[in-house]
Amino acid sequence: MKFDDVYLSGLGTFVPDLVTTEQAVQSGWYDSDVREASGLESVAISDSLSAPEMAVLAAKEAIRRSGIAAEEFGALFHSSAYHQGPDGWSPAHYILTNTLNTPITAMEIKQGCQGLLSSLAISAHRLACDSRKSAILLTAADNYSTPLVDRWTTSRLSIFGDGAASAVVSRTGGIAKLLSIGTRSAPAMEALHRGNEPIFPPAVTVGKGLDYEARVKFWMEEWAKGNTPPMEHPGEVLQSALDEALEDAGIAASDIKRVCHPSATLDALRDQFLDPIGFSLDSGIWEHTRKVGHISAADVFIGLEHLWSTRQVGPGDKVMLFTGSPGFEAGVAILEIVAEPA
């Protein structure tokens, strides 16, 4: 998908206090050998501030930075990977009430870690069709400090972090211009993220915790029995999305200065993503992601704000954002920075 005159006019983030992985080992939460292999230094943890409340804080910063008035916004899209609050309640409208407070549509886009990137694409499409409004507000947030999640052990690929990110998407200029978005899915891989867990009743309704490792163990046992998992290499799926995004942006991979990637252990980041698409660790944001943890859909936008606000990228630089979500689906957005931080 190629885009014209679509911008990130404002970025905002909220990252709570960090807890070191060394402290986690000392407290008995995290295995010392796993910590050593992971390369992860710390993770952002919020004991009490809810995901929607963190989203409000990030959104207020993004709106302020954009300089766009509330009446210019046409919609709010909120993304998350885990539960946000009471069942039958709308976190998107809570965020809307406490930020823009205007009578526009507000909805959740539930696509796991890729939700905010997909929200960006949907926003661009909406702006192309709605001449009356010039901006869309995007938010993403999660808080894993709940009784049914052990952030340290639920996945061998990352440590789940808490936090939020927000972006104002508009036709009026700003921080970065959106050049293109590419996506690719491998739908048979949905079974990998399901394992042998029943679809109904949902696990959370019967008090069962989130445990990705149990699903991995199930498929390893099936493989040992001769039942091959429905597996494609995530890096190959990501490469297809990248090829599409590069073609639509009219640039080559060598034109990309920096890469914003999800937070993952060092081996997972290299083996599943960076190495297959031919990007080095130095081109990414490993030194940042190893400190904050995997903050689901907010991850790469927190990384983008970090690169921009610390002036590691500037006007003319091309930045790639990539994400992956259960399904399996990979997405790539290519941006050109057009402004420096004030």
Side-chain angles (χ1 to χ4, degrees):
M1 294 175 282
K2 180 179 180 180
F3 300 100
D4 295 311
D5 299 323
V6 177
Y7 296 85
L8 296 184
S9 298
L11 292 170
T13 63
F14 179 82
V15 179
D17 293 339
L18 304 179
V19 174
T20 66
T21 53
E22 181 180 6
Q23 179 183 339
V25 169
Q26 293 172 352
S27 300
W29 306 330
Y30 200 38
D31 181 83
S32 60
D33 291 338
V34 174
R35 172 186 179 268
E36 183 68 24
S38 74
L40 301 175
E41 292 183 0
S42 54
V43 60
I45 295 179
S46 173
D47 291 328
S48 59
L49 199 61
S50 72
E53 288 172 311
M54 291 189 285
V56 167
L57 296 174
K60 287 181 175 179
E61 182 179 31
I63 295 166
R64 177 185 59 80
R65 281 175 163 173
S66 75
I68 297 176
E71 58 268 22
E72 288 298 316
F73 286 80
L76 183 153
F77 300 139
H78 178 61
S79 302
S80 64
Y82 199 62
H83 302 286
Q84 299 287 287
D87 287 340
W89 170 73
S90 173
H93 287 87
Y94 172 89
I95 297 165
L96 177 61
T97 298
N98 288 281
T99 54
L100 300 170
N101 195 27
T102 56
I104 58 176
T105 188
M107 67 181 72
E108 285 189 85
I109 296 179
K110 299 285 287 185
Q111 200 190 15
C113 303
Q114 198 170 317
L116 196 50
L117 191 148
S118 291
S119 296
L120 177 58
I122 294 170
S123 298
H125 296 156
R126 182 175 178 115
L127 287 172
C129 299
D130 186 359
S131 60
R132 293 173 299 177
K133 301 291 183 178
S134 64
I136 306 290
L137 180 61
L138 309 183
T139 59
D142 273 298
N143 186 328
Y144 291 100
S145 300
T146 71
L148 295 181
V149 177
D150 182 345
R151 72 176 74 243
W152 305 98
T153 62
T154 194
S155 173
R156 59 189 169 83
L157 302 180
S158 61
I159 302 173
F160 292 174
D162 305 331
S166 178
V168 172
V169 186
S170 82
R171 294 191 297 266
T172 59
I175 294 170
K177 183 177 182 179
L178 176 62
L179 301 182
S180 65
I181 291 178
T183 59
R184 179 80 171 194
S185 73
M189 287 176 66
E190 66 81 19
L192 291 177
H193 295 95
R194 178 164 41 89
N196 65 341
E197 190 170 306
I199 297 175
F200 187 84
V204 68
T205 65
V206 294
K208 187 179 186 325
L210 179 64
D211 189 354
Y212 286 116
E213 286 306 295
R215 303 174 197 180
V216 172
K217 182 181 178 181
F218 165 77
W219 278 111
M220 293 298 290
E221 292 172 349
E222 288 296 300
W223 206 344
K225 297 174 186 176
N227 300 321
T228 305
M231 186 68 182
E232 293 185 39
H233 195 291
E236 294 178 355
V237 182
L238 176 60
Q239 182 66 63
S240 297
L242 174 57
D243 290 342
E244 178 185 325
L246 289 172
E247 180 180 356
D248 289 346
I251 65 172
S254 58
D255 295 322
I256 294 172
K257 181 172 182 179
R258 297 296 295 271
V259 177
C260 292
H261 52 72
S263 177
T265 63
L266 183 57
D267 286 346
L269 178 60
R270 281 175 163 163
D271 297 344
Q272 296 196 24
F273 298 114
L274 290 179
D275 288 353
I277 62 173
F279 282 86
S280 68
L281 197 65
D282 291 340
S283 68
I285 52 171
W286 165 248
E287 290 302 323
H288 172 69
T289 61
R290 71 189 301 191
K291 293 181 173 68
V292 299
H294 181 34
I295 311 178
S296 60
D299 241 8
V300 295
F301 284 80
I302 290 174
L304 175 63
E305 195 277 339
H306 170 72
L307 285 182
W308 178 74
S309 63
T310 57
R311 299 179 184 270
Q312 296 182 50
V313 292
D317 290 337
K318 308 296 192 302
V319 180
M320 177 177 76
L321 282 60
F322 76 75
T323 59
S325 67
F328 169 77
E329 186 162 330
V332 172
I334 297 178
L335 308 169
E336 180 178 346
I337 304 299
V338 296
E340 295 181 347

